[in-house]
Amino acid sequence: MNVLGIETSCDETAAAVVTASGEVLSSIVASQLKLHAPYGGIVPEIASRQHLRDLPRTASEAMRRAGMEWRDIQGVAATCGPGLMGALMIGLSWAKAAAWARALPFIGVNHLEGHLAAVELNQAPLPRPFVGLVASGGHTSLYLVAAGQPAHYSLLASTRDDAVGEAFDKVAKLLGLSYPGGPAIERIAGKREPDKIKFPQPRMKDGSLAFSYSGLKTAVRYLVDKARQRGEKIDSAEVAAAFQQAVIKDLIHKSLKAVKQHDARALALTGGVAANRFLRQTLAAEAEKISLPFYCPPIEWCTDNAAMIALAGARRLSLGERSAWDLPAVPNLQL
Amino acid sequence: MILGLDTSSARLSLALWEQGRILEEHAQFSDRRHNEIILPALESLLFKINRVPRDISGIVVGLGPGSFTGVRVGIATAQGLGQSMGIPVAGVSSFLAVAAGSRSNTALVIADARQKMLYAAFYRKKEYGWETVMPETLISIPDLVKQLPATAVNVTGPGAQEFFEALFRARGGELHLLPQERHWPGAGELAPLGEERILAGGMSWEDIMPLYLRRTQAEEVRARRKAEQGGA
């Protein structure tokens, strides 16, 4: 079964053709990063305008690279949430119309289920149950993925305030670094000693796995403000290194705690923040210490893409699941 | 058979057009829910006349001006239908469709553009078709009044009901409000307006974009800031 996947939930216009077993035949992503960079964050109306402009050629390119005609496609999947309302609406409208016109089965896909499916693109399925950490600009969530048709997802923890990628963006702004903040902080932190400054570890009083990064962000702001009042120059690289370490330590601590609590047989890392090399490497090393199978997809499938949507959709379509033609976009869709 | 489709106003409009006539049409008020009702409505429209999707040989979609998200839903739907069936698509001003359905010799078409502004266009009937006297513009009521001819003007469009009184006061007369059922962009008017383009092979995707008429708020703020810095 070849499934065409469409993703327009945020600032990437993406289309891909994937088989139900997870083989990626094509995956095209038109990134809007440069368009939003001058604003220091994603501007929803600019994103929507660009999606509409980029989607037709992104979709045809995905078909062409896969060497497919429409008659070779057996199903269509599109992200229906969570994400930006206006942005979601474009991919969803396009995909529903295309599937309807070709009398193809259609399914709306939860973007987070897509991120969790990404770890199994071009890859043997992970042993179940596994813990999946989705870390991105919009999400910081831990899921337990249990065996089942379709897989059974339990949300173990999510963020109480800022998503981790958002925290990186805000701290980068405080330090006068460019958008997006993740790569900027990673770059400037480099190999700097991260222990010169001690930031509080963002732990929940109730011992829960929930994430919270606003306290850490406030600590950075306090540091920057205090230095400014004293007329001192802050060492941005030092602050970046300490902040990055505090965040990553927290992500790792909670991921491993979740694995232990639920007797998980593997750990997966996905989402745009997985592009952080320090996070990938440290998490891999910590997992190895306890002989826990760890998997993180290539960066192109960690960040938003349509291959993951196509796979998550293909799995549901092959079980006979269908979405109705009146399926709405749901900006705060839960998994 | 050409499919006409307009989602620029609160009223979704669909029409199937063939050989100079409307085969079947459907209109429905569905504020912000066009994305949900468009395909079920199209399906029942085809069912009524015993046709199937592949009988559609071209699509004419309304480009607004109007609700940005609304117009985009219509265009994305037209793109998806057009690309998957390999049929031509053309975009036409939704305001021109309103004028074409106005049954009058002049039509001032207006819609709410928020922030005390209107989208407006002014058309005059010719022997064949319509002359665009003032193309789709983002304009304030006082500025619009200055643009209008001295002769009587017929007011229509999705914003006509709401803004007629303010417009009348500003101009001090010489304005007629057309009946409300003619205020909405109709797909039955869109289809023939875009037919020629369809027969010529349709338009490129880059050209089938909404008539936004204004930059995004973020772009406005940034441009203003730049201008201020430049002036300082």
Side-chain angles (χ1 to χ4, degrees):
Chain A
M1 181 187 234
N2 302 319
V3 172
L4 172 68
I6 300 291
E7 151 70 34
T8 62
S9 69
C10 193
D11 62 340
E12 325 266 14
T13 313
V17 182
V18 171
T19 69
S21 61
E23 190 193 342
V24 182
L25 303 179
S26 68
S27 176
I28 308 294
V29 179
S31 175
Q32 304 179 357
L33 195 64
K34 282 186 186 152
L35 277 179
H36 299 285
Y39 303 97
I42 293 158
V43 181
E45 176 61 20
I46 291 179
S48 296
R49 291 186 181 196
Q50 200 60 28
H51 282 308
L52 191 71
R53 203 165 269 288
D54 285 340
L55 187 51
R57 57 168 169 252
T58 305
S60 9
E61 187 60 10
M63 299 279 282
R64 197 185 66 80
R65 293 263 186 100
M68 301 256 150
E69 302 285 338
W70 273 97
R71 60 172 176 276
D72 306 315
I73 299 290
Q74 284 87 37
V76 179
T79 309
C80 58
L84 302 168
M85 186 57 156
L88 286 166
M89 210 88 102
I90 290 161
L92 188 60
S93 298
W94 188 100
K96 283 198 295 190
W100 178 84
R102 306 283 320 178
L104 289 170
F106 169 78
I107 187 118
V109 172
N110 185 309
H111 183 79
L112 290 160
E113 184 176 9
H115 272 305
L116 290 167
V119 301
E120 291 169 329
L121 286 166
N122 281 1
Q123 170 80 19
L126 265 63
R128 276 151 170 81
F130 72 85
V131 165
L133 169 63
V134 183
S136 71
H139 310 279
T140 314
S141 309
L142 277 170
Y143 285 95
L144 185 69
V145 182
Q149 297 283 358
H152 184 265
Y153 303 95
S154 319
L155 178 64
L156 304 177
S158 58
T159 180
R160 297 219 170 137
D161 38 65
D162 293 343
V164 60
E166 213 177 342
F168 269 96
D169 287 341
K170 289 177 178 172
V171 166
K173 207 169 185 178
L174 287 171
L175 297 177
L177 303 174
S178 61
Y179 172 87
I185 285 181
E186 188 180 4
R187 207 177 315 117
I188 189 176
K191 290 195 167 57
R192 291 294 289 271
E193 177 59 53
D195 295 317
K196 285 269 180 69
I197 304 165
K198 281 261 182 276
F199 284 122
Q201 275 296 305
R203 296 286 151 78
M204 292 292 133
K205 281 197 187 106
D206 57 4
S208 90
L209 293 171
F211 300 99
S212 166
Y213 294 111
S214 70
L216 203 50
K217 180 192 67 194
T218 307
V220 174
R221 173 175 295 143
Y222 185 68
L223 202 79
V224 171
D225 287 350
K226 214 165 65 179
R228 193 173 296 146
Q229 278 165 14
R230 289 183 186 158
E232 296 167 2
K233 226 178 153 255
I234 55 153
D235 185 342
S236 299
E238 204 166 69
V239 179
F243 166 77
Q244 178 178 255
Q245 170 163 282
V247 170
I248 287 172
K249 262 190 169 170
D250 180 61
L251 290 173
I252 291 174
H253 170 79
K254 283 168 183 160
S255 301
L256 294 178
K257 196 169 166 188
V259 167
K260 212 168 163 190
Q261 278 179 358
H262 296 275
D263 267 327
R265 297 174 59 204
L267 174 63
L269 168 66
T270 183
V273 175
N276 185 298
R277 219 171 320 140
F278 186 39
L279 172 61
R280 288 162 90 106
Q281 287 168 359
T282 322
L283 198 50
E286 292 296 323
E288 201 179 341
K289 271 189 209 162
I290 53 167
S291 307
L292 175 73
F294 169 75
Y295 190 69
C296 179
I299 291 170
E300 57 179 325
W301 295 332
C302 283
T303 49
D304 288 353
N305 66 87
M308 67 184 199
I309 302 303
L311 176 56
R315 286 173 172 172
R316 288 186 180 270
L317 287 172
S318 47
L319 294 170
E321 269 188 53
R322 303 286 184 267
S323 294
W325 300 122
D326 64 355
L327 183 76
V330 183
N332 58 355
L333 188 66
Q334 306 287 314
L335 177 68
Chain B
M1 178 173 69
I2 291 175
L3 166 67
L5 167 64
D6 195 282
T7 54
S8 66
S9 73
R11 197 189 73 152
L12 167 79
S13 175
L14 294 170
L16 294 166
W17 168 273
E18 195 172 55
Q19 290 177 342
R21 68 188 185 97
I22 297 169
L23 299 178
E24 194 67 56
E25 61 185 329
H26 175 81
Q28 184 176 350
F29 285 91
S30 69
D31 209 27
R32 288 164 195 273
R33 288 182 59 241
H34 293 333
N35 162 56
E36 293 162 51
I37 62 171
I38 198 163
L39 291 175
L42 179 53
E43 200 157 52
S44 62
L45 207 58
L46 285 168
F47 183 78
K48 269 191 205 162
I49 55 166
N50 200 20
R51 295 287 190 95
V52 292
R54 57 168 189 282
D55 291 331
I56 300 170
S57 56
I59 302 161
V60 182
V61 60
L63 302 180
S67 144
F68 293 166
T69 296
V71 179
R72 281 192 288 256
V73 162
I75 294 177
T77 300
Q79 288 174 346
L81 295 172
Q83 281 193 280
S84 67
M85 295 198 284
I87 57 172
V89 178
V92 169
S93 159
S94 303
F95 275 16
L96 183 56
V98 175
S102 68
R103 284 182 250 158
S104 70
N105 293 320
T106 61
L108 171 65
V109 185
I110 59 172
D112 185 6
R114 307 220 183 123
Q115 298 164 346
K116 293 184 178 167
M117 299 292 274
L118 292 179
Y119 299 124
F122 185 59
Y123 305 92
R124 193 174 285 130
K125 200 173 164 61
K126 292 187 300 184
E127 194 176 349
Y128 298 103
W130 289 79
E131 178 196 356
T132 303
V133 183
M134 181 183 81
E136 303 81 3
T137 317
L138 179 70
I139 198 165
S140 68
I141 289 180
D143 287 343
L144 175 59
V145 167
K146 285 180 215 152
Q147 297 276 321
L148 296 175
T151 51
V153 167
N154 296 314
V155 184
T156 182
Q161 204 69 30
E162 193 182 342
F163 293 96
F164 181 78
E165 214 184 293
L167 211 53
F168 191 87
R169 251 183 281 123
R171 181 170 156 107
E174 290 297 320
L175 283 179
H176 303 292
L177 181 66
L178 290 176
Q180 199 174 3
E181 72 270 14
R182 292 182 227 158
H183 288 182
W184 310 96
E189 279 78 37
L190 269 182
L193 287 170
E195 192 175 20
E196 219 169 287
R197 277 251 156 88
I198 294 294
L199 295 175
M203 289 159 62
S204 74
W205 300 121
E206 288 75 20
D207 291 332
I208 309 173
M209 285 291 129
L211 295 167
Y212 290 116
L213 306 183
R214 65 154 43 120
R215 289 185 289 189
T216 65
Q217 209 165 355
E219 287 167 317
E220 288 290 346
V221 170
R222 190 160 170 259
R224 214 176 303 143
R225 239 179 243 155
K226 261 192 173 170
E228 281 167 15
Q229 280 166 6

